[in-house]
Amino acid sequence: MPVAMPLAIVGSGAIADYYYFPVLASDPHLSANTWIVEPAIERGVAAAQKFGFRKDQVLGRIEDLPPSIRVAVNATPSHLHRGTTIALIERDISVLVEKPFAETAEDARAMIAAAEGRSILTANHFRRLTPSYAFVRDFIASAKLGHVKRIVWAEGHKFDWPTQSGFNFRRPWPNGRPRGALLDIGVHIFDIICWWLDEQPKVKSAVMDGYGGPEAFVSTELETPDTRIEVQISFLAKLSNQFVVEGTEATIRGVTNEFTRLEIIAPNGSKKTVSAPGNPDRADIARRMVTNFFEVVSGGSAPLLIEAKSVVPPLAVIDEIYETATDYLPDCYQEWVA
């Protein structure tokens, strides 16, 4: 990496263990300058031992960070992002926030307002940096797809993230119903859709389960003035895990977690498989994002890869779905609630 400066990783849960620690540990300059903030000190020390960080740079509180720290990665559970990010900003620290950037658009706007003129904020919406998703955006921008008429997206699998805290299912929430699959998977989906269209769609309809707890299934229809959008999300079962973007001049199809291969379908039905250029490796994407963040914070001329304000529209879409969705009940239960 061209820039190395003292860096704080706030939180040492699964995402830090899987994504950030390996990247930082691979560079000796970054490794020596990595500080870990983890209230469960024993977990932070275990991470330091595993990845070769200095154990004397494991702290229990943000307030204990030395004044030399000017950049941080916020890898805490998402319901803590607003409080911990603003605490870092108040120390004039710029922050790369793990996805979802915040749990609501309101929280995101508060974080951005706190950083105005003081710190730089970015977010780990890594799918924007993968070859296939970037290819689709460029393909749309080139007008080769024509006007985007319809987007269909289905993404689902059995939940298997190795969460350390279990916050995904029992974190506190003002109305007693924590957010589930829609926030976890949907924030990726709606971020990409808003990014592709440069527009925030409106919600037509939505149903989800949950029954007072975090939802595991969501089906929603949205629209812009020109585009119809259908999205299905599941934590319960494997769906088709594909997206289809239908335009007036062509259709493009991809697999949600296949970051290079795409299929382009011409109006006459002929199909062509293409390989999007670029490195799909997540570790390489993480290095690109952290490198870019460091360069921007240090005053470099490169633009920030992901502006924090650009991740507010997908959160606003998710807020609207939660506000308008109805609960889905199987037919066999309908007589009990009639």
Side-chain angles (χ1 to χ4, degrees):
M1 289 187 178
V3 180
M5 61 181 74
L7 166 75
I9 300 287
V10 184
S12 61
I15 189 63
D17 197 65
Y18 171 76
Y19 198 75
Y20 294 108
F21 288 154
V23 170
L24 297 170
S26 68
D27 185 293
H29 298 293
L30 284 175
S31 178
N33 284 288
T34 295
W35 294 70
I36 299 172
V37 179
E38 172 55 63
I41 291 291
E42 66 282 358
R43 191 158 71 205
V45 170
Q49 291 175 328
K50 178 180 179 180
F51 291 98
F53 302 125
R54 290 176 51 176
K55 289 187 287 184
D56 63 335
Q57 293 180 177
V58 177
L59 305 172
R61 306 185 311 158
I62 289 171
E63 292 78 10
D64 295 332
L65 285 169
S68 60
I69 301 291
R70 286 291 171 263
V71 291
V73 172
N74 191 338
T76 62
S78 54
H79 65 286
L80 302 178
H81 283 182
R82 176 173 176 167
T84 50
T85 299
I86 290 177
L88 291 163
I89 291 168
E90 289 173 346
R91 296 176 64 86
D92 297 321
I93 295 174
S94 294
V95 192
L96 190 167
V97 185
E98 180 51 38
K99 77 88 189 170
F101 181 72
E103 293 218 329
T104 66
E106 178 185 0
D107 282 355
R109 294 186 188 105
M111 293 156 62
I112 292 167
E116 187 69 32
R118 190 168 188 174
S119 301
I120 292 167
L121 292 182
T122 188
N124 182 22
H125 280 274
F126 80 94
R127 289 195 191 187
R128 294 194 199 180
L129 306 184
T130 62
S132 58
Y133 289 109
F135 182 96
V136 175
R137 177 174 163 87
D138 292 342
F139 198 76
I140 292 171
S142 72
K144 294 177 182 177
L145 194 78
H147 298 296
V148 181
K149 299 188 300 181
R150 184 169 176 249
I151 297 174
V152 179
W153 198 307
E155 186 163 349
H157 50 80
K158 183 180 178 180
F159 183 87
D160 61 358
W161 182 250
T163 175
Q164 296 293 312
S165 65
F167 79 93
N168 307 72
F169 302 104
R170 61 171 182 264
R171 64 193 183 280
W173 191 252
N175 64 3
R177 178 175 178 168
R179 300 188 164 192
L182 174 59
L183 183 66
D184 186 80
I185 300 176
V187 77
H188 277 309
I189 297 171
F190 294 114
D191 178 67
I192 292 296
I193 290 173
C194 291
W195 183 57
W196 282 346
L197 299 179
D198 286 320
E199 196 167 4
Q200 179 182 320
K202 296 295 183 183
V203 179
K204 286 183 62 181
S205 65
V207 295
M208 63 174 67
D209 63 359
Y211 315 113
E215 76 289 341
F217 172 80
V218 183
S219 178
T220 183
E221 295 184 8
L222 309 95
E223 63 182 1
T224 71
D226 301 316
T227 309
R228 293 181 296 116
I229 302 162
E230 303 162 34
V231 175
Q232 288 194 323
I233 300 167
S234 178
F235 267 168
L236 299 175
K238 183 177 180 180
L239 301 183
S240 64
N241 292 321
Q242 291 187 339
F243 60 82
V244 178
V245 186
E246 181 183 337
T248 55
E249 301 298 326
T251 295
I252 193 163
R253 178 184 290 125
V255 177
T256 57
N257 284 321
E258 164 56 67
F259 297 142
T260 55
R261 187 170 54 86
L262 295 158
E263 185 178 61
I264 299 174
I265 305 167
N268 64 6
S270 63
K271 300 177 182 179
K272 178 175 68 173
T273 299
V274 299
S275 181
N279 190 342
D281 180 68
R282 292 195 186 198
D284 181 73
I285 291 168
R287 278 189 287 270
R288 286 173 56 200
M289 185 172 296
V290 173
T291 298
N292 170 258
F293 178 52
F294 276 22
E295 289 178 343
V296 173
V297 171
S298 62
S301 59
L304 195 62
L305 288 172
I306 300 175
E307 294 278 356
K309 64 182 180 182
S310 73
V311 304
V312 176
L315 289 170
V317 169
I318 289 169
D319 286 344
E320 187 180 356
I321 293 174
Y322 279 117
E323 289 163 5
T324 59
T326 57
D327 287 330
Y328 167 78
L329 283 175
D331 290 342
C332 59
Y333 285 95
Q334 294 300 329
E335 65 180 284
W336 302 102
V337 296

